[in-house]
Amino acid sequence: MKKYNEFDEWTSFKSAAQFPFPNLPYISDGDKIITESEAIQAHICLKANRSDLIGKDEDRVEFLQIRGILADFEKAITDSAYATPDVEVFKKSVEDAMKRYGSAIKDLNKLLEKREWLLGYITYLDFFLAELIERFTSMDSEIGTSVTKNYPALQAHAKRFVEIPAVKAYRESDKFKARPHNGTDAAWH
């Protein structure tokens, strides 16, 4: 794995890259270089012969709908972390985001009251949601937001996810890094 610690190092590599859409993260698989997080996730699922992790054909529209909701909410919170000057302003921004996305979070909670996983079987959306819930739970306890506090099915989902044996083993390894949730230039990380 290559880490770019200096911005100039990355921009130099990016400008000389001989593959389309150079971006971080990227992975190399033989002669193919894949960028964009979503494409990387799908590629890994397919390489592992786990196409079920990208949703079954009959569930693809629901998969994309849920993915869009999660991405919108995650973007609102993450963008706020970088756009605000301090934690108090960030907290207010999170509260505003909850006003905009609260009904979607409530709907996700209701969905998970009826299902173990978002589509009834595990997909990489469950990985994404578990990471978001963990991030938001940390935020709730550290700065006093209440993104997850009133949503027990979301909390149960995240707990169920981290108890999956392979996930648990990874999280107990030295490869796992729990923090930061955002870069050090964000108001909350």
Side-chain angles (χ1 to χ4, degrees):
M1 172 171 31
K2 170 70 175 150
K3 288 188 178 188
Y4 296 91
N5 295 319
E6 300 294 326
F7 183 73
D8 291 343
E9 180 185 11
W10 163 244
T11 55
S12 176
F13 174 83
K14 183 177 180 177
S15 65
Q18 297 294 310
F19 57 92
F21 316 115
N23 200 1
L24 293 173
Y26 68 88
I27 62 170
S28 299
D29 183 11
D31 293 338
K32 184 183 283 191
I33 297 179
I34 300 137
T35 63
E36 298 304 318
S37 299
E38 193 101 16
I40 291 168
Q41 291 167 339
H43 179 76
I44 291 167
C45 293
L46 295 171
K47 285 292 280 191
N49 214 17
R50 292 292 311 268
S51 61
D52 58 310
L53 291 175
I54 57 176
K56 297 174 186 171
D57 287 345
E58 63 270 16
D59 298 324
R60 196 64 40 86
V61 171
E62 184 179 11
F63 178 95
L64 293 171
Q65 178 180 327
I66 292 169
R67 177 64 179 110
I69 290 164
L70 295 175
D72 288 348
F73 190 61
E74 188 268 343
K75 183 176 179 358
I77 302 295
T78 301
D79 286 356
S80 294
Y82 287 95
T84 55
D86 59 46
V87 173
E88 284 306 312
V89 177
F90 172 60
K91 181 179 175 182
K92 171 73 172 103
S93 184
V94 169
E95 291 165 356
D96 291 344
M98 284 302 293
K99 289 175 188 166
R100 290 191 311 276
Y101 296 102
S103 65
I105 301 301
K106 189 178 199 178
D107 289 343
L108 285 170
N109 191 71
K110 282 182 187 176
L111 182 69
L112 288 168
E113 287 173 348
K114 300 173 190 153
R115 299 176 178 172
E116 183 177 27
W117 305 110
L118 287 166
L119 293 179
Y121 54 92
I122 197 164
T123 67
Y124 78 73
L125 290 180
D126 294 292
F127 288 69
F128 186 51
L129 178 60
E131 179 185 350
L132 287 178
I133 297 306
E134 184 170 44
R135 183 186 319 172
F136 298 152
T137 300
S138 295
M139 197 170 60
D140 290 350
S141 68
E142 292 172 18
I143 66 172
T145 57
S146 57
V147 177
T148 61
K149 148 176 131 172
N150 298 319
Y151 301 109
L154 290 176
Q155 293 173 11
H157 174 276
K159 184 178 184 327
R160 203 169 30 253
F161 182 83
V162 299
E163 291 301 319
I164 295 171
V167 172
K168 188 174 185 170
Y170 169 72
R171 291 173 64 93
E172 292 171 352
S173 77
D174 60 351
K175 293 179 183 179
F176 175 68
K177 305 287 183 249
R179 294 298 280 269
H181 294 299
N182 297 304
T184 56
D185 54 334
W188 178 80
H189 46 279

